[in-house]
Amino acid sequence: MEASGGKRRREDQELQGSPSIAHVLGDWVRIERTSSESVIPRPNHFLSLEEAFYRAFILGNMRIRAASEDRIMELSEAWSLFSERNAEFQRNFVVYHHYCQRGWKLIQGTKYGCNFLLYPREDGDNSVRHKHAPYAVQILPDGIDGMTWLEVSKELILASVEAVGAGEDGERPRSILSYEDACKMRVSEMKIARWEPERDR
């Protein structure tokens, strides 16, 4: 579900203004009505759980409809549902939020074998500045301190999530984390530059 810069820019523009409406389909959230009544959502207009949660409850430009009822989900309800739908949601959201708050635009990196691609934002705009993302982000599983090698043609960032106030063993069951707990978690990073034989010999 990758998107080019131009396609993604149009999607961002559609989600500006009055909130869009979306509903949950498995591990994804589908846009069913955009902020513009003149824009008909495409059948494949999906967002990841972390992106949908960020847009709905941090940016406030989207509303998520409960699947079986004609009502809008509250933050705690969406957090619990998304955590049940995807065991990695909480960790992914912490990393997604971490980079969004630092001015990056994140897009799912499944096509490149990583969690996210990072794009710089233009000043005062949500659009992607460059055609290609300069960085790929891979989130390390809990308890993994070693390297994970990926076939990516970008500089790689290894990110790990560290809980604040964890137990003596440094671990805390992620399934019981609330949204408030997740907001206290730290993200550690390690950037790995791509080795180019012709340049670095």
Side-chain angles (χ1 to χ4, degrees):
M1 296 189 181
E2 294 298 317
S4 65
K7 177 181 176 182
R8 196 68 182 189
R9 186 177 299 110
R10 290 192 298 272
E11 292 176 355
D12 287 335
Q13 291 171 348
E14 291 170 7
L15 290 172
Q16 293 175 354
S18 59
S20 301
I21 303 297
H23 67 277
V24 182
L25 286 177
D27 291 347
W28 298 89
V29 174
R30 182 179 182 273
I31 304 296
E32 61 184 42
R33 188 172 75 245
T34 65
S35 57
S36 173
E37 295 296 336
S38 63
V39 178
I40 301 175
R42 293 178 300 279
N44 62 343
H45 193 164
F46 288 89
L47 303 175
S48 66
L49 297 181
E50 53 270 11
E51 182 178 5
F53 192 92
Y54 187 85
R55 294 193 176 196
F57 300 107
I58 305 300
L59 298 182
N61 60 12
M62 189 175 72
R63 299 290 182 266
I64 301 174
R65 183 171 59 83
S68 59
E69 303 174 42
D70 187 18
R71 62 179 180 81
I72 301 301
M73 299 176 66
E74 299 292 336
L75 182 151
S76 58
E77 181 183 6
W79 182 263
S80 297
L81 176 63
F82 290 5
S83 298
E84 293 173 359
R85 292 293 179 89
N86 187 340
E88 305 302 323
F89 163 71
Q90 295 177 0
R91 179 170 51 214
N92 290 351
F93 175 77
V94 170
V95 174
Y96 187 93
H97 182 276
H98 173 81
Y99 287 107
C100 283
Q101 293 296 301
R102 284 157 180 76
W104 292 95
K105 176 73 177 178
L106 284 80
I107 291 179
Q108 288 292 311
T110 306
K111 180 179 178 180
Y112 295 91
C114 60
N115 293 100
F116 301 114
L117 300 178
L118 294 186
Y119 291 83
R121 294 183 188 272
E122 292 183 355
D123 293 339
D125 190 7
N126 287 330
S127 63
V128 174
R129 178 187 300 171
H130 301 294
K131 183 177 179 180
H132 300 290
Y135 298 108
V137 177
Q138 176 68 22
I139 305 174
L140 296 179
D142 291 337
I144 300 298
D145 297 322
M147 305 289 287
T148 301
W149 294 107
L150 302 171
E151 291 294 331
V152 295
S153 59
K154 308 174 186 300
E155 289 196 49
L156 178 65
I157 297 176
L158 297 180
S160 60
V161 177
E162 302 175 357
V164 176
E168 294 181 358
D169 59 357
E171 296 294 331
R172 186 173 188 176
R174 198 171 300 279
S175 60
I176 67 172
L177 284 178
S178 67
Y179 170 71
E180 291 73 20
D181 289 330
C183 290
K184 301 175 183 177
M185 302 180 78
R186 297 188 297 257
V187 176
S188 298
E189 306 161 294
M190 178 188 303
K191 187 171 78 170
I192 302 175
R194 184 161 55 108
W195 179 61
E196 298 181 8
E198 296 298 325
R199 182 192 66 182
D200 300 326
R201 61 183 177 181

